[in-house]
Structures are given as structure tokens and as C-alpha cells.
Amino acid sequence: MLVTHKKASISEIENAWHGDVEALLKWVSSHDTVEECVVLKTCNRVEIYVVSPRGEKVLFEIAKKARVSSRIIDIHDHDESLLHLLRLASGLESMIIGEDQILGQMKELYRIAKNLGYTGWVLDTAFKKAIQVGKRVRKETAINERSVSVGSAAVDLAEHILGSLEGKSVLVIGAGETGELISKALVSKNIGTLYVTNRTFGTALSLAASLGGTAVPYEEMKRKIREADVVISATSAPHYILLKEDIERAMEGRKNKLLIIDIANPRDVDEAVREIEGVELHNIDSLKQISDENMRLRMKEIEKVEAIIEEELELLRAKYKRKEAEELLARIYSEAEKIKEQEVRRAMNKLSAYHTLGEIEQKVLMDMSHSIVNKIFAEPTKALKAAAERGDTEMLRYAADLFRLNQEVSD
């Protein structure tokens, strides 16, 4: 189930689900029929992946309980989810086509779900393949050239609005991964002064020192806005860190314009700031303009990426289909093993009535029976695996019926 920038505004994404990723994982997994789950929650999307015999119905129920409007959600079946996941890891579903940040976010969010025990073979297989494809795409194509993240797109947007960032004073709020990307992109624009602030001053100090900038203690941040031409905010604070009155004080006696770009989710800057004269506020929604430009520049690379995805998706589908056959074969072999054990024991008991069987005789009987079972099932095993790979679920059903396993084989 997806809630992304394609259908929802930033405020709708913010309000889609509350709480952190671990709380959301716990809530989703508490549903009776959910066997596995992973949650991808970023500034541009909230995506929930589940393994359940009632997948689509479960996701609709989850959305309804969370009061998420059906207008902004997409619910995919198994194959659609696999395709989307590979496209997402490759950067094709991002607001900024080809951006690198999503791959790192996917790896971290999958790691959280796995470490907490919410994943199994199905989602482990899907996410490992997606991460591998994301790496391959970036190695074999130029899809991640130019603006490669929301952070660098924010810098591009500032440059587009102001004409040039050369000599400008820029304050970056937040020294995490996104703040680092923003700061590095700013340095390449030949700005005048880079200020970096963070709730943990040591983090700001480390980032500023590595880029030749100036670290600002968090409690002095609002005063430092007076000196900035541009403020780019990207914290993980759960509430506004800049209110209308804060910016009004920063604008007192000021003549030059102040550009604020808020790319945090939830947002860092109160929307009421737009009402202040001389202030221009933008958030993630504004970055769609940059995304459109990048799309035109990267069209040739998209075709290469999609070819890689198609190739890898076929390999992934084949793996799932083989698993379906392997589960059926495991049941068949298990039943055969029971019969073999019974018949060998029966034969040994009959022979023991005439003379004592030594370990060698017993081993010969066991080895012979094992060999017979394997040889009988060798060709059927190949046939069932081949049937699974070509999507012939009818043959798998026939096999289940033939051995009276009463195993349902899904389409």
C-alpha cells in the first residue's frame, strides 16, 4: 500500500500515519493474518508491504483504521509490488528521478523490520533483490547524475529562485544525512558563508569543519537567521521549530529578501511564515519543478534502467515460482519418506525373524530405499520446477491432488 508524492501533498503524507516506524510495524503486524511486514516511511512516501493470505483486504482495513483517504492510496498485488519496489530502489519512483538517498533509506528501514523479526523469506527475498538492483542501476547507468537527492534539489531550487548562490549566506538547519547532502551541494555553488546548526552541537561542528563552514549553537539559530540570505531546514523534529513570530523578529529592520526552503517531514516551518513581507517559503511540493527538469534530462537513462529492472524482475519472479514448487516437493518427499521408513522397518522385521541383521545389512536397506525414492522422483521434480518457472500452476495443482496433499497453489 502506497501513499506517495504522486497522489498526495506533503501535508497529506504527514497526516497519513502517525508515530515512528517501529510503532507502525508493530501495529501492522498485530493484524491476525499479517505474516510479514516492512514499512518505508520517508519525507515523500509511506509504503506498507505485507505478506498475508488476505493481502488486499488487510491493507484496505489498515488504511480505513488509520483514516487514510482512498483517494491518495495505491494498493498493489504481488507482481505489481515487486515491480514498484525495484523501480523505487532504482530511483524511478522518487520525486527527483535517480536520487541516491532512497536506496540508503530502503536499506535502513528494511534492516529495522528484519532486526525486529517482522520479515521472512518472502520480503527478505524481495528487499535483497531490490537493494542489489538499485546498486546495479547506479553502477551501469547515469540515472543518478545532476540532482541526486531532495537535499541537492533544494539547493538547485534556491539557485533557480535567486539566479545565483554565489556570495550568499546560507543557514542549514539539521546536520543529519540530508543536512550533509545539502551542505555539500551548497559548497559546490561558491556561496559566501555556510552556517550549520543542529540540536547536538558536536554534529554541527563536525560537518561545518569538514566543509569549511561555521557551526552555530542551536539556541542561537533564530538570531543567525538575521544574517542569512537562505535558510534550508531538514530536521527530524516532530513539531515546528520556526514559528511566524520567530521569522518576524528575524526580519525586523531587514531590507533584503529571505528565502526559506523547508524539506522536513513533519515540516519544520509554520506555514503562516508565508504571510511575512520579504519572506519566500517553499516546501517539498516546490521541488516537483526540479523533478520535472531532471526528468527531461534523464529520459535516455530511464530506458536503460527499465531494461535492467525487467531483466532482474524476471529472475525474481522465477525465484518465487521455484519456491512454490519446492514447497510442494518438500511435502511430497516428506510423505514418501514416511512410507519408505515404514516399509524398510517392516522388511527388517521380517528378515529379523530368520536371522539377526547387522548394521551393514540395515544400512544397505536404508540406502537402497533412499536411492529408489530419489530416482522415482527425479524426473517429476524437474517437471514440477519447470512448470513453476513457466507459471503453470495447473500442473502444480494436479500434482498436489495426485498425491492427495490438499495443497492450494495460488495463481
Side-chain angles (χ1 to χ4, degrees):
M1 174 165 57
L2 320 175
V3 176
T4 74
H5 61 90
K6 291 190 174 182
K7 283 190 174 182
S9 67
I10 183 62
S11 59
E12 288 173 326
I13 294 173
E14 286 175 4
N15 295 325
W17 277 276
H18 299 288
D20 61 21
V21 170
E22 291 188 18
L24 190 48
L25 281 166
K26 185 176 180 180
W27 182 62
V28 173
S29 67
S30 68
H31 196 286
D32 291 343
T33 65
V34 171
E35 299 167 5
E36 302 177 34
C37 64
V38 172
V39 171
L40 301 183
K41 193 168 188 252
T42 73
C43 57
N44 289 327
R45 66 189 66 254
V46 180
E47 301 188 358
I48 299 176
Y49 295 81
V50 301
V51 176
S52 169
R54 298 169 57 243
E56 187 172 323
K57 189 172 182 181
V58 166
L59 291 171
F60 272 120
E61 288 174 4
I62 289 171
K64 187 175 180 180
K65 285 181 182 177
R67 298 181 180 178
V68 180
S69 169
S70 59
R71 178 183 60 80
I72 62 171
I73 67 172
D74 285 309
I75 293 182
H76 291 338
D77 62 20
H78 178 73
D79 276 356
E80 290 170 335
S81 295
L82 294 181
L83 175 59
H84 173 80
L85 193 60
L86 265 56
R87 287 178 59 85
L88 182 63
S90 301
L92 295 189
E93 295 296 323
S94 298
M95 184 182 293
I96 309 301
I97 297 298
E99 60 107 344
D100 289 332
Q101 196 173 8
I102 186 61
L103 185 58
Q105 291 169 330
M106 179 184 289
K107 288 165 69 175
E108 175 60 17
L109 292 166
Y110 163 62
R111 184 193 64 78
I112 290 171
K114 183 172 178 61
N115 287 350
L116 291 172
Y118 293 118
T119 69
W121 186 86
V122 175
L123 289 182
D124 284 342
T125 300
F127 276 86
K128 285 176 182 176
K129 171 62 76 172
I131 292 165
Q132 174 214 324
V133 171
K135 291 177 179 177
R136 180 186 168 189
V137 160
R138 286 163 178 82
K139 183 178 180 180
E140 297 181 16
T141 76
I143 194 68
N144 60 340
E145 291 184 357
R146 296 180 180 266
S147 292
V148 295
S149 69
V150 171
S152 56
V155 175
D156 287 352
L157 177 62
E159 186 174 44
H160 174 75
I161 291 170
L162 299 179
S164 170
L165 292 178
E166 186 172 355
K168 300 294 185 183
S169 174
V170 185
L171 170 64
V172 176
I173 305 175
E177 184 179 354
T178 302
E180 183 176 353
L181 290 170
I182 293 167
S183 300
K184 287 179 177 178
L186 284 167
V187 169
S188 68
K189 301 295 182 181
N190 197 29
I191 63 172
T193 308
L194 171 65
Y195 296 111
V196 180
T197 188
N198 194 69
R199 193 172 291 277
T200 304
F201 184 64
T203 307
L205 198 61
S206 176
L207 178 58
S210 70
L211 298 175
T214 301
V216 176
Y218 194 77
E219 56 273 17
E220 295 179 19
M221 169 189 67
K222 294 173 184 177
R223 290 193 295 274
K224 186 59 65 175
I225 293 173
R226 294 176 179 272
E227 302 174 28
D229 298 299
V230 181
V231 173
I232 303 179
S233 191
T235 80
S236 56
H239 49 71
Y240 291 142
I241 63 170
L242 290 174
L243 302 176
K244 184 181 179 183
E245 51 265 35
D246 297 324
I247 305 303
E248 283 176 332
R249 281 194 290 270
M251 295 300 290
E252 287 176 1
R254 177 181 175 134
K255 294 181 181 179
N256 59 315
K257 172 182 174 180
L258 174 62
L259 173 61
I260 302 175
I261 301 177
D262 178 8
I263 61 173
N265 181 22
R267 281 173 284 188
D268 283 340
V269 184
D270 186 350
E271 282 290 303
V273 166
R274 295 182 186 277
E275 301 167 10
I276 303 172
E277 187 177 352
V279 176
E280 186 173 345
L281 172 65
H282 291 268
N283 57 34
I284 289 175
D285 290 335
S286 303
L287 299 185
K288 289 179 180 177
Q289 300 167 18
I290 304 296
S291 177
D292 290 343
E293 176 63 19
N294 281 352
M295 176 67 84
R296 287 190 290 272
L297 295 170
R298 296 179 176 189
M299 285 304 293
K300 291 181 182 178
E301 296 304 308
I302 288 174
E303 291 181 12
K304 296 177 188 176
V305 173
E306 288 179 337
I308 292 173
I309 290 172
E310 185 177 353
E311 175 190 329
E312 294 283 358
L313 184 59
E314 284 306 307
L315 294 174
L316 182 57
R317 284 172 176 159
K319 190 168 187 176
Y320 279 117
K321 288 173 181 176
R322 283 196 300 273
K323 178 71 170 178
E324 192 171 24
E326 286 164 4
E327 289 174 349
L328 174 59
L329 285 164
R331 294 197 62 190
I332 292 173
Y333 274 87
S334 176
E335 293 300 315
E337 191 68 20
K338 290 177 186 176
I339 295 169
K340 181 197 80 173
E341 290 282 345
Q342 291 171 358
E343 294 305 315
V344 169
R345 293 298 170 195
R346 186 175 294 156
M348 286 182 179
N349 289 337
K350 287 181 179 179
L351 290 171
S352 296
Y354 297 99
H355 61 84
T356 302
L357 291 178
E359 288 185 11
I360 293 175
E361 289 90 341
Q362 291 183 40
K363 185 175 186 305
V364 168
L365 283 171
M366 291 298 291
D367 289 347
M368 180 188 70
S369 61
H370 183 72
S371 179
I372 289 171
V373 169
N374 283 345
K375 287 181 179 178
I376 288 173
F377 285 115
E379 290 306 316
T381 295
K382 291 178 186 176
L384 288 175
K385 286 185 176 180
E389 288 194 22
R390 66 175 180 266
D392 187 355
T393 55
E394 192 172 7
M395 179 181 280
L396 300 186
R397 287 197 189 94
Y398 285 152
D401 289 341
L402 183 65
F403 288 94
R404 297 185 178 182
L405 297 177
N406 299 317
Q407 175 176 311
E408 292 184 2
V409 182
S410 60
D411 288 321

